[in-house]
Amino acid sequence: MPPLPPTPARRVLCLAGSLRRDSWNRRLLHAAIDQAPSTLALTVYTDFAAVPLFDEDLEQLDPAGPVGVQALRAAMAAADGLVVATPEYNHALPGVLKNALDWLSRESPLGEVLVDKPVAVLGASAGPWGTRLAQASLRQVLHACGALVMPAPTLFMANAAAHFDGHGTLTDDAGAQALQRFMRAFEQWVERVAPATAAASMRRHG
Amino acid sequence: MPPLPPTPARRVLCLAGSLRRDSWNRRLLHAAIDQAPSTLALTVYTDFAAVPLFDEDLEQLDPAGPVGVQALRAAMAAADGLVVATPEYNHALPGVLKNALDWLSRESPLGEVLVDKPVAVLGASAGPWGTRLAQASLRQVLHACGALVMPAPTLFMANAAAHFDGHGTLTDDAGAQALQRFMRAFEQWVERVAPATAAASMRRHG
């Protein structure tokens, strides 16, 4: 029997839930990418600030939405999965993140891009609570959008400054191991809930 | 004894939680204003679209925030109370509304303008659920912001199209009566929780 061809990687889009350049959650995403299995091809979405405030009147003018929405929607449609690292603002997910999800939840020429999408949620906070309420609210919203949110493991990083060095690099082994477990679990979650299409079957069986 | 001077009206800012021009919640706000007691001076905030996406880096550049934020924050600081009519997007408050509250929750040259602010929450939906989940999430966020949210009565308007005519005018008596009770209760809530300053005392006692 000839050797099996290599399994194509699952494409995973990664979003940090705030715009701040040095956000803990952007650092957490990059640390998660460092720990992810090679079967996941992970990309951090960097043009989040180009997504304008949701306005149904804009959608009436053009069902595809503004240019910044089209780009995010296309990236989401092309992805096999989504990882969201969210900060907590006022006991909930940031408005910026909710606004992007409000756009993505809508019917569009690319379809409803969050429906049946495997999603992992994690988060880091400077304080002691580790974004617990933000993640709970984000899960509820993603559920409403029809996404398939990985139920476990969860990952709440508290006291973020203690986990990264001045360059934003993760420095603690326990954190790295938790991220490795998290990303391996997400790989399995994506395989488990992926649609049973010919393409997906090809990915799984080579 | 000379007659008491007239009691100055309480200034109440009104926000609709979405940008759509013909939103049910904007109509609901105007209907609420029609039913409000004359001791409340109500103003609908119309420049909500000028509030940009929250970005802590922008705040670092200028603690007062972008111009659109400054205007909203000044209006909020000058108000004795706030009425928010929210639609429901994906089982929660809209990202647009959360984004504005994220800005308003921050320390600024005008202070933390939502702390101790009396707030009433209501909402209308085209469908059968009347924004119940949106209002629950909005209350949680307002609580986190330090606002004083009126606990009762609640007002959930379902099947909004059945309550308004083609011009956006409320047409049903039961709805008008519910709004009248709601706004009278809010007037009492504002009086009850208003800070006991000299100015407030002057308002109450003439």
Side-chain angles (χ1 to χ4, degrees):
Chain A
M1 199 171 78
L4 291 174
T7 307
R10 294 284 190 182
R11 291 154 300 176
V12 175
L13 194 67
C14 301
L15 281 183
S18 74
L19 299 183
R20 188 163 73 99
R21 197 199 312 226
D22 294 330
S23 88
W24 295 118
N25 284 285
R26 191 159 292 110
R27 292 171 183 180
L28 183 63
L29 272 185
H30 285 287
I33 290 172
D34 288 343
Q35 299 297 331
S38 61
T39 49
L40 298 181
L42 298 112
T43 313
V44 177
Y45 195 77
T46 54
D47 211 15
F48 206 34
V51 177
L53 297 174
F54 178 74
D55 183 345
E56 215 173 313
D57 290 337
L58 293 181
E59 204 180 42
Q60 288 289 322
L61 293 177
D62 180 355
V67 172
V69 173
Q70 292 178 30
L72 177 58
R73 186 146 28 208
M76 196 68 75
D80 299 305
L82 170 66
V83 173
V84 187
T86 185
E88 181 165 309
Y89 292 171
N90 300 310
H91 298 186
L93 77 166
V96 169
L97 177 56
K98 176 62 162 61
N99 182 65
L101 295 173
D102 287 342
W103 276 113
L104 292 175
S105 71
R106 305 285 291 175
E107 187 55 77
S108 78
L110 292 178
E112 295 174 283
V113 296
L114 289 172
V115 170
D116 286 337
K117 188 75 68 188
V119 183
V121 169
L122 71 171
S125 69
W129 307 119
T131 73
R132 288 182 71 82
L133 294 177
Q135 290 192 41
S137 65
L138 175 55
R139 282 167 189 273
Q140 166 141 332
V141 167
L142 287 166
H143 169 78
C145 295
L148 303 171
V149 186
M150 180 172 74
T154 51
L155 198 148
F156 305 100
M157 178 183 276
N159 309 309
H163 295 274
F164 294 94
D165 68 16
H167 303 287
T169 303
L170 189 74
T171 53
D172 77 308
D173 286 344
Q177 285 162 22
L179 283 167
Q180 193 175 84
R181 279 193 301 274
F182 186 87
M183 294 306 290
R184 285 182 177 165
F186 186 56
E187 176 199 32
Q188 290 170 17
W189 178 248
V190 173
E191 293 307 319
R192 185 168 169 184
V193 301
T197 61
S201 175
M202 191 182 71
R203 279 197 196 89
R204 273 198 298 275
H205 303 297
Chain B
M1 200 174 73
L4 291 173
T7 306
R10 294 284 189 182
R11 292 155 300 176
V12 175
L13 194 65
C14 302
L15 280 184
S18 73
L19 300 183
R20 188 163 72 101
R21 195 199 313 225
D22 293 331
S23 87
W24 295 117
N25 284 285
R26 191 157 292 112
R27 292 171 183 179
L28 183 63
L29 272 185
H30 285 287
I33 290 171
D34 289 343
Q35 299 297 330
S38 61
T39 50
L40 298 181
L42 298 113
T43 313
V44 177
Y45 195 77
T46 54
D47 212 14
F48 206 33
V51 178
L53 297 174
F54 177 75
D55 184 346
E56 215 172 315
D57 290 335
L58 293 181
E59 203 180 43
Q60 289 290 322
L61 293 177
D62 181 355
V67 173
V69 173
Q70 292 178 30
L72 176 59
R73 187 143 31 206
M76 196 68 75
D80 299 304
L82 169 66
V83 173
V84 186
T86 186
E88 182 166 307
Y89 293 170
N90 301 312
H91 297 185
L93 78 165
V96 169
L97 177 56
K98 177 63 163 59
N99 182 66
L101 295 173
D102 287 342
W103 277 112
L104 292 175
S105 71
R106 305 286 290 175
E107 187 54 78
S108 77
L110 293 177
E112 294 174 283
V113 295
L114 289 172
V115 170
D116 286 338
K117 188 74 68 185
V119 182
V121 169
L122 70 171
S125 68
W129 306 118
T131 75
R132 289 181 71 81
L133 293 177
Q135 289 192 42
S137 64
L138 174 56
R139 281 166 191 273
Q140 164 139 332
V141 168
L142 287 166
H143 168 77
C145 295
L148 304 171
V149 185
M150 179 171 74
T154 52
L155 198 147
F156 306 100
M157 178 182 276
N159 310 309
H163 296 273
F164 294 95
D165 67 16
H167 303 288
T169 304
L170 189 75
T171 52
D172 78 307
D173 285 344
Q177 286 163 20
L179 283 166
Q180 192 175 84
R181 280 193 301 275
F182 185 88
M183 295 306 291
R184 284 182 177 165
F186 185 57
E187 175 198 33
Q188 291 169 16
W189 178 248
V190 173
E191 294 306 318
R192 185 167 168 185
V193 300
T197 62
S201 175
M202 190 183 73
R203 278 199 196 90
R204 275 198 296 276
H205 305 296

